[in-house]
Amino acid sequence: MEIRLSEKALNWFKQEMEVEKGDFIRFYARYGGSSPFHEGFSLGVTREQPHEIGIESVVEDIHFYIEKSDEWFFNEHHLVVDVADSSDELTYSYEK
């Protein structure tokens, strides 16, 4: 499993969340909503220091990660993060 970010997504994080080199961005399973794999759970994103990194992708010295305890949510798929042209919001897809 890996985390893949488009250039647009990286720029979104820089502009909307004001991330800088050395920051940590966590993707996590949150209660509520739905996902392709788990009804009642959706993907959340926050800036916080890791406890136990399961998967990490470092882009321009910004750490994007998933905690080991949240790996189940991704059902052994890669997380692909992009930005929708129509809404300028993050989009998530999952690739085997």
Side-chain angles (χ1 to χ4, degrees):
M1 282 179 22
E2 60 186 28
I3 302 168
R4 301 176 186 157
L5 285 97
S6 70
E7 186 69 30
K8 286 176 69 174
L10 179 62
N11 289 332
W12 186 95
F13 281 103
K14 289 178 181 177
Q15 292 171 358
E16 299 296 325
M17 292 184 74
E18 299 178 350
V19 298
E20 300 174 343
K21 290 182 177 186
D23 283 344
F24 287 84
I25 300 297
R26 176 184 177 198
F27 297 100
Y28 65 96
R30 66 180 183 167
Y31 187 72
S34 65
S35 73
F37 310 118
H38 308 286
E39 188 62 36
F41 289 90
S42 59
L43 190 62
V45 63
T46 187
R47 181 187 320 192
E48 69 180 55
Q49 293 294 314
H51 299 290
E52 186 177 7
I53 293 175
I55 293 126
E56 181 180 33
S57 181
V58 181
V59 182
E60 295 184 17
D61 202 28
I62 301 167
H63 303 259
F64 298 90
Y65 74 98
I66 298 165
E67 288 281 354
K68 195 158 202 58
S69 61
D70 283 325
E71 287 181 2
W72 63 270
F73 177 82
F74 299 91
N75 201 28
E76 299 182 9
H77 286 72
H78 305 298
L79 171 62
V80 181
V81 184
D82 202 355
V83 176
D85 290 328
S86 59
S87 65
D88 200 36
E89 293 295 322
L90 290 178
T91 63
Y92 306 109
S93 58
Y94 307 90
E95 296 178 355
K96 197 68 171 155

